Short mmCIF file of all heavy atoms in Angstrom, two decimals:
data_model
loop_
_atom_site.label_atom_id
_atom_site.label_comp_id
_atom_site.label_asym_id
_atom_site.label_seq_id
_atom_site.Cartn_x
_atom_site.Cartn_y
_atom_site.Cartn_z
N ASN A 1169 -2.74 -15.60 0.08
CA ASN A 1169 -2.02 -16.49 0.97
C ASN A 1169 -0.97 -17.27 0.18
O ASN A 1169 0.07 -17.52 0.65
CB ASN A 1169 -3.02 -17.40 1.78
CG ASN A 1169 -2.32 -18.11 2.94
OD1 ASN A 1169 -1.50 -17.63 3.59
ND2 ASN A 1169 -2.74 -19.47 3.12
N PHE A 1170 -1.41 -17.72 -0.91
CA PHE A 1170 -0.32 -18.52 -1.79
C PHE A 1170 0.59 -17.57 -2.44
O PHE A 1170 1.55 -17.94 -2.88
CB PHE A 1170 -1.14 -19.39 -2.76
CG PHE A 1170 -1.57 -20.57 -2.19
CD1 PHE A 1170 -2.89 -20.65 -1.78
CD2 PHE A 1170 -0.89 -21.69 -2.03
CE1 PHE A 1170 -3.54 -21.81 -1.23
CE2 PHE A 1170 -1.40 -22.85 -1.42
CZ PHE A 1170 -2.67 -22.88 -1.12
N ALA A 1171 0.26 -16.31 -2.66
CA ALA A 1171 1.22 -15.28 -3.17
C ALA A 1171 2.16 -14.87 -2.20
O ALA A 1171 3.25 -14.45 -2.58
CB ALA A 1171 0.35 -14.12 -3.83
N ALA A 1172 1.80 -14.83 -0.92
CA ALA A 1172 2.74 -14.47 0.12
C ALA A 1172 3.87 -15.41 0.26
O ALA A 1172 3.79 -16.63 0.00
CB ALA A 1172 2.03 -14.30 1.46
N GLN A 1173 5.05 -14.90 0.70
CA GLN A 1173 6.25 -15.75 0.83
C GLN A 1173 6.66 -15.81 2.24
O GLN A 1173 7.85 -16.48 2.40
CB GLN A 1173 7.41 -15.15 -0.11
CG GLN A 1173 7.00 -14.95 -1.62
CD GLN A 1173 8.21 -14.68 -2.40
OE1 GLN A 1173 9.26 -15.20 -2.28
NE2 GLN A 1173 8.15 -13.77 -3.36
N ASP A 1174 6.03 -15.43 3.24
CA ASP A 1174 6.39 -15.54 4.57
C ASP A 1174 5.19 -15.52 5.55
O ASP A 1174 4.10 -15.05 5.08
CB ASP A 1174 7.37 -14.56 5.08
CG ASP A 1174 6.90 -13.05 4.93
OD1 ASP A 1174 6.12 -12.67 5.92
OD2 ASP A 1174 7.03 -12.43 3.97
N THR A 1175 5.40 -16.14 6.71
CA THR A 1175 4.12 -16.21 7.57
C THR A 1175 3.66 -14.87 8.16
O THR A 1175 2.37 -14.74 8.18
CB THR A 1175 4.60 -17.07 8.77
OG1 THR A 1175 5.08 -18.35 8.18
CG2 THR A 1175 3.45 -17.33 9.63
N ILE A 1176 4.49 -13.92 8.28
CA ILE A 1176 4.08 -12.61 8.82
C ILE A 1176 3.17 -12.04 7.83
O ILE A 1176 2.08 -11.44 8.14
CB ILE A 1176 5.28 -11.72 9.09
CG1 ILE A 1176 6.15 -12.33 10.20
CG2 ILE A 1176 4.86 -10.33 9.56
CD1 ILE A 1176 5.39 -12.46 11.57
N SER A 1177 3.50 -11.99 6.39
CA SER A 1177 2.62 -11.41 5.48
C SER A 1177 1.36 -12.10 5.37
O SER A 1177 0.39 -11.39 5.34
CB SER A 1177 3.40 -11.53 4.11
OG SER A 1177 4.58 -10.88 4.00
N ARG A 1178 1.29 -13.49 5.48
CA ARG A 1178 0.13 -14.22 5.58
C ARG A 1178 -0.85 -13.76 6.77
O ARG A 1178 -2.05 -13.64 6.56
CB ARG A 1178 0.34 -15.66 5.56
CG ARG A 1178 1.08 -16.29 4.30
CD ARG A 1178 1.34 -17.73 4.36
NE ARG A 1178 2.03 -18.21 3.28
CZ ARG A 1178 3.23 -18.78 3.40
NH1 ARG A 1178 3.71 -18.95 4.37
NH2 ARG A 1178 3.85 -19.05 2.12
N LEU A 1179 -0.22 -13.56 7.90
CA LEU A 1179 -0.86 -13.16 9.02
C LEU A 1179 -1.55 -11.88 8.83
O LEU A 1179 -2.72 -11.67 9.27
CB LEU A 1179 0.06 -13.21 10.30
CG LEU A 1179 -0.57 -12.95 11.75
CD1 LEU A 1179 -1.57 -13.89 11.98
CD2 LEU A 1179 0.53 -12.89 12.76
N VAL A 1180 -0.81 -10.97 8.36
CA VAL A 1180 -1.36 -9.67 8.12
C VAL A 1180 -2.57 -9.60 7.08
O VAL A 1180 -3.53 -8.97 7.30
CB VAL A 1180 -0.28 -8.62 7.64
CG1 VAL A 1180 -0.77 -7.34 7.27
CG2 VAL A 1180 0.87 -8.38 8.63
N VAL A 1181 -2.23 -10.34 6.04
CA VAL A 1181 -3.37 -10.50 5.02
C VAL A 1181 -4.68 -11.02 5.65
O VAL A 1181 -5.75 -10.45 5.49
CB VAL A 1181 -2.84 -11.32 3.81
CG1 VAL A 1181 -4.05 -11.72 2.88
CG2 VAL A 1181 -1.84 -10.49 3.05
N VAL A 1182 -4.61 -12.03 6.38
CA VAL A 1182 -5.68 -12.83 6.94
C VAL A 1182 -6.39 -11.89 7.94
O VAL A 1182 -7.61 -11.73 7.82
CB VAL A 1182 -5.35 -14.14 7.62
CG1 VAL A 1182 -6.40 -14.73 8.38
CG2 VAL A 1182 -4.73 -15.19 6.55
N TYR A 1183 -5.61 -11.27 8.76
CA TYR A 1183 -6.21 -10.33 9.82
C TYR A 1183 -6.97 -9.16 9.16
O TYR A 1183 -8.22 -9.00 9.46
CB TYR A 1183 -5.18 -9.83 10.75
CG TYR A 1183 -5.74 -8.80 11.79
CD1 TYR A 1183 -6.41 -9.34 12.86
CD2 TYR A 1183 -5.78 -7.47 11.52
CE1 TYR A 1183 -6.94 -8.44 13.78
CE2 TYR A 1183 -6.20 -6.63 12.43
CZ TYR A 1183 -6.82 -7.14 13.61
OH TYR A 1183 -7.43 -6.31 14.50
N LEU A 1184 -6.29 -8.42 8.20
CA LEU A 1184 -7.03 -7.29 7.67
C LEU A 1184 -8.27 -7.66 6.79
O LEU A 1184 -9.34 -6.98 6.74
CB LEU A 1184 -6.06 -6.53 6.71
CG LEU A 1184 -4.88 -5.85 7.50
CD1 LEU A 1184 -3.94 -5.12 6.49
CD2 LEU A 1184 -5.43 -4.80 8.42
N ALA A 1185 -8.19 -8.86 6.02
CA ALA A 1185 -9.15 -9.27 5.12
C ALA A 1185 -10.39 -9.72 6.02
O ALA A 1185 -11.57 -9.18 5.64
CB ALA A 1185 -8.74 -10.37 4.37
N PHE A 1186 -10.26 -10.43 6.99
CA PHE A 1186 -11.40 -10.89 7.81
C PHE A 1186 -11.93 -9.75 8.82
O PHE A 1186 -13.19 -9.86 9.11
CB PHE A 1186 -11.04 -12.08 8.63
CG PHE A 1186 -11.08 -13.34 7.79
CD1 PHE A 1186 -9.87 -13.96 7.35
CD2 PHE A 1186 -12.20 -13.85 7.33
CE1 PHE A 1186 -9.86 -15.08 6.60
CE2 PHE A 1186 -12.22 -15.13 6.60
CZ PHE A 1186 -11.13 -15.62 6.23
N LEU A 1187 -11.13 -8.81 8.93
CA LEU A 1187 -11.67 -7.61 9.78
C LEU A 1187 -12.68 -6.85 9.00
O LEU A 1187 -13.57 -6.30 9.55
CB LEU A 1187 -10.47 -6.77 10.10
CG LEU A 1187 -10.72 -5.44 10.99
CD1 LEU A 1187 -11.25 -5.91 12.37
CD2 LEU A 1187 -9.44 -4.65 11.11
N THR A 1188 -12.63 -7.00 7.54
CA THR A 1188 -13.63 -6.23 6.92
C THR A 1188 -15.04 -6.85 6.93
O THR A 1188 -15.97 -6.15 6.65
CB THR A 1188 -13.29 -6.13 5.43
OG1 THR A 1188 -13.19 -7.54 4.82
CG2 THR A 1188 -11.82 -5.51 5.18
N ILE A 1189 -15.13 -8.13 7.37
CA ILE A 1189 -16.44 -8.66 7.43
C ILE A 1189 -17.24 -8.17 8.54
O ILE A 1189 -18.52 -7.70 8.15
CB ILE A 1189 -16.25 -10.21 7.67
CG1 ILE A 1189 -15.75 -10.91 6.50
CG2 ILE A 1189 -17.57 -10.93 8.08
CD1 ILE A 1189 -15.42 -12.42 6.58
N PRO A 1190 -16.77 -8.04 9.82
CA PRO A 1190 -17.80 -7.27 10.76
C PRO A 1190 -17.88 -5.76 10.34
O PRO A 1190 -18.90 -5.07 10.63
CB PRO A 1190 -17.07 -7.57 12.06
CG PRO A 1190 -15.61 -7.79 11.76
CD PRO A 1190 -15.65 -8.49 10.38
N LEU A 1191 -16.77 -5.19 10.01
CA LEU A 1191 -16.69 -3.62 9.66
C LEU A 1191 -17.62 -3.40 8.51
O LEU A 1191 -18.30 -2.30 8.46
CB LEU A 1191 -15.28 -3.24 9.39
CG LEU A 1191 -14.34 -3.30 10.55
CD1 LEU A 1191 -13.07 -2.68 10.24
CD2 LEU A 1191 -14.91 -2.38 11.80
N GLY A 1192 -17.72 -4.33 7.53
CA GLY A 1192 -18.60 -4.06 6.40
C GLY A 1192 -19.94 -4.62 6.56
O GLY A 1192 -20.82 -4.65 5.54
N ASN A 1193 -20.35 -5.09 7.74
CA ASN A 1193 -21.66 -5.72 8.05
C ASN A 1193 -22.05 -6.84 7.16
O ASN A 1193 -23.11 -7.03 6.57
CB ASN A 1193 -22.76 -4.58 8.04
CG ASN A 1193 -24.09 -5.09 8.75
OD1 ASN A 1193 -23.96 -5.90 9.53
ND2 ASN A 1193 -25.15 -4.55 8.26
N LEU A 1194 -20.97 -7.75 6.84
CA LEU A 1194 -21.13 -8.88 5.94
C LEU A 1194 -21.43 -10.07 6.73
O LEU A 1194 -21.40 -10.09 8.02
CB LEU A 1194 -19.85 -8.93 5.11
CG LEU A 1194 -19.38 -7.70 4.30
CD1 LEU A 1194 -18.10 -8.06 3.53
CD2 LEU A 1194 -20.45 -7.28 3.37
N ASN A 1195 -21.68 -11.22 6.03
CA ASN A 1195 -22.03 -12.46 6.65
C ASN A 1195 -21.18 -13.72 6.11
O ASN A 1195 -21.02 -13.80 4.95
CB ASN A 1195 -23.50 -12.81 6.53
CG ASN A 1195 -24.50 -11.87 7.24
OD1 ASN A 1195 -24.90 -10.82 6.61
ND2 ASN A 1195 -24.74 -12.06 8.44
N HIS A 1196 -20.70 -14.42 7.08
CA HIS A 1196 -19.95 -15.77 6.88
C HIS A 1196 -20.91 -16.88 7.18
O HIS A 1196 -21.47 -16.97 8.31
CB HIS A 1196 -18.64 -15.69 7.47
CG HIS A 1196 -17.75 -16.90 7.14
ND1 HIS A 1196 -17.86 -18.14 7.59
CD2 HIS A 1196 -16.79 -16.92 6.23
CE1 HIS A 1196 -17.02 -18.91 7.08
NE2 HIS A 1196 -16.31 -18.22 6.24
N SER A 1197 -20.96 -17.88 6.34
CA SER A 1197 -21.97 -18.96 6.54
C SER A 1197 -21.77 -19.73 7.82
O SER A 1197 -22.72 -20.04 8.50
CB SER A 1197 -21.98 -19.89 5.33
OG SER A 1197 -20.59 -20.39 5.01
N VAL A 1198 -20.49 -20.02 8.12
CA VAL A 1198 -20.21 -20.88 9.36
C VAL A 1198 -20.41 -20.06 10.54
O VAL A 1198 -20.98 -20.56 11.59
CB VAL A 1198 -18.74 -21.49 9.29
CG1 VAL A 1198 -18.52 -22.30 10.48
CG2 VAL A 1198 -18.55 -22.26 7.99
#
């Protein structure tokens, strides 16, 4: 997120990264 230089890049990074949590059967504490 800090390496990205525009909001669209940040949005794509956040979406794809957090998509791996349910697809990978992982757990987030909150």
Side-chain angles (χ1 to χ4, degrees):
N1169 192 36
F1170 282 96
Q1173 300 191 44
D1174 61 85
T1175 302
I1176 298 300
S1177 298
R1178 294 180 186 118
L1179 183 62
V1180 172
V1181 166
V1182 172
Y1183 178 79
L1184 293 178
F1186 282 103
L1187 185 61
T1188 62
I1189 292 179
L1191 294 180
N1193 197 25
L1194 305 179
N1195 293 94
H1196 187 278
S1197 54
V1198 183

